[in-house]
Amino acid sequence: MSLKEQFGKDVLLTGWGHSRFGKLTEETLESLIVQVATEAIGSAGIEPGQIDEIYLGQFNSGMMPLAFPSSLALQVSPDLANVPATRVENACASGSAAFQQGTKTLLAGTAKTVLVIGAEKMTHAGADVVGAALLGADYDMAGQTSTTGFTGLFADVAKHYGKRYGRGDGQLGDVLGTIAAKNHRNGVDNPYAQLRKDLGEEFCRTVSDKNPMVADPLRRTDCSPVSDGAAAVVLSVSPTGGATAPVRLAGFGQANDFFPAERRDPTAFAATRVSWQRALAMAGVGLDGLDFAEVHDCFTIAELLMYEAMGLTGPGEGARALEEGWVFKDGKLPVNVSGGLKAKGHPVGATGVSQHVIAAMQLTGTAGDMQLANPRRAAVQNMGGVGIANYVSVLEAV
């Protein structure tokens, strides 16, 4: 049963906008929001006054003084005066949380056209400020001092994984290096990406002065960068005559795991798995019905675990997806053709919306050098914390 069959109406992505990701010193949070919102409204072929509601995904958590940005989108046009606007925060999944809130508003019938924005400014803040903000998304480490920050938390996941499945640091490190190299290679073709350089497997697998160990076994190339950026999408219940054909939301899922680490299996990502199951079930498809996926590779170990959480391989067998070539651009299920968070960048509140925009571009044949050959259906997966807040969307060409 598809979303439309379950709820009796369509949810369509009818327009979108995307900024460059990176260290954008010339941009403010406001300018980024206005840029992508203006692009999204224009590409949807509508006027600003046709927007019924706005959702803004932003994490912030002390990275910048302005903690109340929901009305910044109104700067696009005087015609947005009095439009309801709400900031949505769910750690690094804030963008997808905003997307699902917009979706549910349409399904509830209280709006016909919703503007969803994800935006973040991070690079102006010191490493200590960013690190403390991100650690606020962890139950055990919030407010604590850490030299490795969130990298240390995922490094612990990698250590548990290696111990459980008999992969020594060297063997697991090579697998993670292959993921990093794949995503860096893909990022070269993404004009929005922060890191557009093919680094090669040897560099990504090797600890060096230019690729130091951040938190054993994770090297710099295993970690997504600190980024600024924004993305926006217009959601509608019917086509709006935009610049491209719309994209249909076929299904979505959300699942949250327990917050304390002691209540979670560190390598299972159990709630992530449930979010995948819920989205695929609503869409009425299996993995074999997907043509590509954009997943949350904040660290390379997260992408490896995602192969297993989505059901592409069994537990402990994620490396097989790389060895068999399944997740490469020419494989049976390309993963992170955009370069992922690893190369595209990770302005945390923008990430989930960006993933939806990139997927919509692929499904409408407008992805430029990133373009796959005639994809018809895709999945987007975004998470906050160490597998805590989990969102999956299934999108399809109309």
Side-chain angles (χ1 to χ4, degrees):
M1 178 180 291
S2 68
L3 179 151
K4 185 175 182 179
E5 292 169 332
Q6 183 171 338
F7 294 99
K9 63 177 68 176
D10 259 330
V11 173
L12 301 174
L13 289 70
T14 54
W16 43 83
H18 202 297
S19 79
R20 184 168 59 87
F21 281 6
K23 187 174 183 178
L24 309 179
T25 55
E26 72 282 7
E27 301 287 355
T28 64
L29 182 66
E30 179 178 336
S31 68
L32 288 167
I33 289 171
V34 170
Q35 175 196 332
V36 297
T38 301
E39 289 178 8
I41 292 169
S43 71
I46 62 174
E47 297 298 324
Q50 293 175 261
I51 299 294
D52 298 316
E53 195 154 355
I54 299 167
Y55 288 97
L56 170 66
Q58 188 216 21
F59 180 44
N60 191 358
S61 194
M63 289 186 286
M64 63 179 302
L66 181 63
F68 182 47
S70 53
S71 282
L72 289 179
L74 274 59
Q75 302 294 83
V76 169
S77 168
D79 292 335
L80 288 174
N82 303 316
V83 172
T86 304
R87 174 185 174 229
V88 180
E89 190 282 311
N90 219 1
C92 295
S94 296
S96 285
F99 182 90
Q100 285 203 12
Q101 287 303 113
T103 294
K104 292 172 182 177
T105 297
L106 295 182
L107 295 177
T110 58
K112 293 183 178 180
T113 306
V114 173
L115 174 64
V116 178
I117 306 165
E120 207 76 66
K121 277 286 290 181
M122 303 173 68
T123 65
H124 64 284
D128 56 338
V129 174
V130 173
L134 296 178
L135 280 178
D138 186 76
Y139 179 88
D140 301 286
M141 289 301 298
Q144 303 298 311
T145 300
S146 171
T147 58
T148 56
F150 231 78
T151 308
L153 300 179
F154 275 88
D156 286 343
V157 170
K159 290 175 182 176
H160 281 291
Y161 186 92
K163 183 177 181 180
R164 175 171 296 181
Y165 297 113
R167 290 185 176 271
D169 286 352
Q171 186 182 17
L172 179 58
D174 284 351
V175 171
L176 300 182
T178 298
I179 293 173
K182 169 183 72 71
N183 291 349
H184 275 288
R185 186 161 53 248
N186 288 345
V188 172
D189 295 328
N190 184 351
Y192 305 117
Q194 180 170 353
L195 305 174
R196 300 185 67 187
K197 186 175 182 180
D198 185 352
L199 298 177
E201 283 198 22
E202 185 64 25
F203 180 84
C204 293
R205 287 180 166 187
T206 305
V207 176
S208 65
D209 289 343
K210 292 186 177 180
N211 189 27
M213 190 71 75
V214 180
D216 190 24
L218 301 182
R219 300 142 298 203
R220 180 178 291 165
T221 50
D222 293 306
C223 311
S224 58
V226 172
S227 315
D228 305 327
V233 63
V234 173
L235 301 178
S236 309
V237 294
S238 59
T240 57
T244 68
V247 170
R248 176 178 289 113
L249 178 63
F252 63 90
Q254 179 189 357
N256 273 51
D257 211 335
F258 294 106
F259 212 4
E262 65 182 15
R263 298 198 66 183
R264 289 179 276 116
D265 182 326
T267 68
F269 277 47
T272 312
R273 185 180 299 272
V274 171
S275 66
W276 274 97
Q277 293 168 346
R278 288 173 175 169
L280 292 170
M282 184 183 290
V285 300
L287 287 183
D288 58 354
L290 301 178
D291 295 306
F292 69 95
E294 288 288 322
V295 308
H296 192 99
D297 62 321
C298 50
F299 301 93
T300 50
I301 183 64
E303 179 167 328
L304 182 65
L305 284 167
M306 213 49 56
Y307 303 157
E308 301 173 14
M310 71 170 78
L312 188 59
T313 75
E317 300 174 353
R320 186 182 173 201
L322 297 160
E323 295 161 357
E324 301 289 337
W326 299 342
V327 294
F328 291 91
K329 194 169 183 178
D330 58 353
K332 69 177 185 179
L333 185 64
V335 172
N336 287 336
V337 174
S338 69
L341 286 59
K342 176 78 258 315
K344 184 180 61 177
H346 184 28
V348 289
T351 287
V353 182
S354 167
Q355 291 174 309
H356 285 85
V357 170
I358 294 294
M361 292 171 65
Q362 286 283 358
L363 294 170
T364 54
T366 58
D369 291 340
M370 294 184 284
Q371 187 64 53
L372 294 167
N374 195 36
R376 305 299 298 168
R377 189 177 292 115
V380 165
Q381 179 269 329
N382 184 204
M383 71 181 178
V386 187
I388 302 298
N390 302 274
Y391 297 82
V392 176
S393 297
V394 177
L395 307 178
E396 59 186 21
V398 175

